[in-house]
Amino acid sequence: MISGATALSFVLICLLGAMAPGPDFLVVTRSAILGGRKAGIAAGLGIALGVFVWVVAIALGVAAVLTVSAIAFTVVKLIGAAYLVFLGVKAWLAVRRGDYSDLKDKVAPVLAPRETFRQGLLTNLLNPKVAVFFLALIPQFLPHSASTGQTLQLAVLATTVAVVWTFTLATLVGSLRRFFGSGRVRRAMDAVMGTFLVGLGIRVAVQN
């Protein structure tokens, strides 16, 4: 078992990593704006599942391939970048269509939780830097002869951090959905989020 002090240190570092602005942050924020709290939480759960998959992959030695093989890393990175650009262009197309009637409390959300869950999961799984982050982090918190069970314990902690943080973020943004219910505000937010997502996708693609 991982000691309490070690687990706490690991949780704090994971929390700082989760709070850093990036693809996951943008996907949860946009999901909560357009789909409300439930959609934002669903996106967060997709991201948390992605985190768990990455850490388990590390425990099994699969994710190490991304750090050893430049080709594998580049392929996953470019697919992830393309997906971010796809989400951004999708937002731009919504802006161009201009179908932004004001939302009422009883109107169905623009984004369904099932869709945002899928977006959150794919955004995280197609980001090889998540694997690199945990590959660099996890060995610092495991003994030399660590068992798979200890690695999985860290996976559960990392997943829990992702769930708690994205739940908090989605709740905060979702509580402002009445403000974002304005068609004019949602159109502006789609334009901004679309630009950020496309820009982030291009940045991911060109970075080493």
Side-chain angles (χ1 to χ4, degrees):
M1 296 292 290
I2 304 296
S3 69
T6 299
L8 179 59
S9 299
F10 179 76
V11 165
L12 290 176
I13 293 177
C14 286
L15 180 59
L16 291 175
M19 294 174 66
D24 293 347
F25 183 91
L26 288 178
V27 168
V28 172
T29 300
R30 183 172 184 269
S31 297
I33 288 173
L34 297 181
R37 178 171 170 268
K38 289 183 179 180
I41 291 174
L45 291 176
I47 290 167
L49 178 58
V51 168
F52 184 80
V53 170
W54 275 123
V55 180
V56 170
I58 289 169
L60 298 175
V62 176
V65 174
L66 293 176
T67 62
V68 175
S69 171
I71 294 177
F73 182 89
T74 301
V75 168
V76 174
K77 182 183 71 171
L78 291 178
I79 293 174
Y83 185 67
L84 290 175
V85 172
F86 165 76
L87 292 178
V89 170
K90 190 175 179 180
W92 277 348
L93 291 176
V95 172
R96 184 176 181 180
R97 288 194 301 269
D99 185 17
Y100 288 93
S101 56
D102 290 349
L103 296 178
K104 305 299 181 183
D105 292 338
K106 296 183 179 180
V107 175
V110 178
L111 289 178
R114 180 180 298 181
E115 180 182 354
T116 60
F117 176 85
R118 183 174 63 251
Q119 289 181 359
L121 177 61
L122 290 177
T123 297
N124 191 273
L125 288 180
L126 294 176
N127 185 0
K129 291 189 176 181
V130 176
V132 173
F133 173 78
F134 283 112
L135 276 170
L137 181 64
I138 287 177
Q140 312 304 318
F141 291 89
L142 289 175
H144 179 68
S145 57
S147 65
T148 301
Q150 288 173 311
T151 306
L152 292 178
Q153 185 181 351
L154 293 184
V156 171
L157 289 174
T159 304
T160 302
V161 169
V163 169
V164 172
W165 163 242
T166 53
F167 179 89
T168 302
L169 177 61
T171 299
L172 289 174
V173 177
S175 65
L176 299 174
R177 191 167 183 262
R178 180 171 297 180
F179 167 73
F180 291 115
S182 165
R184 182 176 299 178
V185 171
R186 288 191 294 112
R187 183 172 187 173
M189 290 303 301
D190 256 354
V192 171
M193 288 292 184
T195 300
F196 271 115
L197 286 167
V198 171
L200 187 59
I202 294 174
R203 181 182 177 184
V204 168
V206 300
Q207 279 184 334
N208 294 325

